[in-house]
Amino acid sequence: MKTSRKLMVGGASVVILGAGFAAAPEAAVLELTDPGAETASGATDQPTTEATAAPDTSPVPETSTPPDVSEEAADGTYPGPVVTNIRGDYQLQIVVVDAVVTDVEFLAAGTEAAESVSINARALPILREEILEAQDWDVDYVSGASFTSPAMVESAQGAFDDAGL
């Protein structure tokens, strides 16, 4: 299971548990009679405990069915969103054939500055290979490409989402 999906499942679990506690019936309410109260015969009652439960009027949370992930993605080219940071614009697109990513193309990759060009020349082929191998956008960042990697991974996430993968 991918890291981001683990976080979503964990977060959803917390929400469900919280809803369960909110929907739980209230605890029994204990009422004590006045120990000094006299009965009709003139005797005083010993303290007694009466438990009364409050009726459960809270709504039952509805469950939703998760989307069917078994549906195959349509063949086509899916561009990711343009992601901008201080090193420029980044965008990629994926090509999908028979629900398999067959190619990753980089449409925009930073600036024309020599440092940016040098880093991208090394990092982009690694990112491409990782995405193709994993068949997913959730890949490791390339060391030394601290602006390129997160931007391209974010763009890839949008492309995969649009493709239904």
Side-chain angles (χ1 to χ4, degrees), residues 78-84 88-93 104-110 124 148 151-152 154-156 159:
Y78 298 91
V82 175
V83 178
T84 303
D89 294 335
Y90 297 85
Q91 182 183 25
L92 62 67
Q93 69 182 12
V104 176
E105 301 166 354
F106 299 100
L107 305 177
L124 295 180
T148 299
M152 286 301 186
E154 185 178 337
S155 184

Side-chain angles (χ1 to χ4, degrees), residues 9 26 29 56 58-59 62 76 81 91-92 105-106 114 122 133:
V9 169
E26 296 201 7
V29 178
D56 183 14
S58 58
E62 294 182 22
Q91 182 183 25
L92 62 67
E105 301 166 354
F106 299 100
R122 184 182 55 80
E133 184 178 314

Side-chain angles (χ1 to χ4, degrees), residues 77-85 88-95 101 103-110 124 127 131 136-139 141 147-165:
T77 301
Y78 298 91
V82 175
V83 178
T84 303
N85 62 34
D89 294 335
Y90 297 85
Q91 182 183 25
L92 62 67
Q93 69 182 12
I94 60 174
V95 178
V101 178
D103 196 14
V104 176
E105 301 166 354
F106 299 100
L107 305 177
L124 295 180
L127 284 171
I131 291 170
D136 193 45
W137 62 267
D138 192 9
V139 296
Y141 291 173
F147 292 98
T148 299
S149 291
M152 286 301 186
V153 168
E154 185 178 337
S155 184
Q157 181 180 9
F160 272 82
D161 288 347
D162 288 347
L165 297 174

Side-chain angles (χ1 to χ4, degrees), residues 41-64:
S41 65
T44 58
D45 280 338
Q46 296 297 321
T48 59
T49 307
E50 296 178 23
T52 58
D56 183 14
T57 58
S58 58
V60 176
E62 294 182 22
T63 59
S64 62

Side-chain angles (χ1 to χ4, degrees), residues 22-42:
E26 296 201 7
V29 178
L30 300 177
E31 294 180 16
L32 299 176
T33 59
D34 184 11
E38 292 184 18
T39 62
S41 65

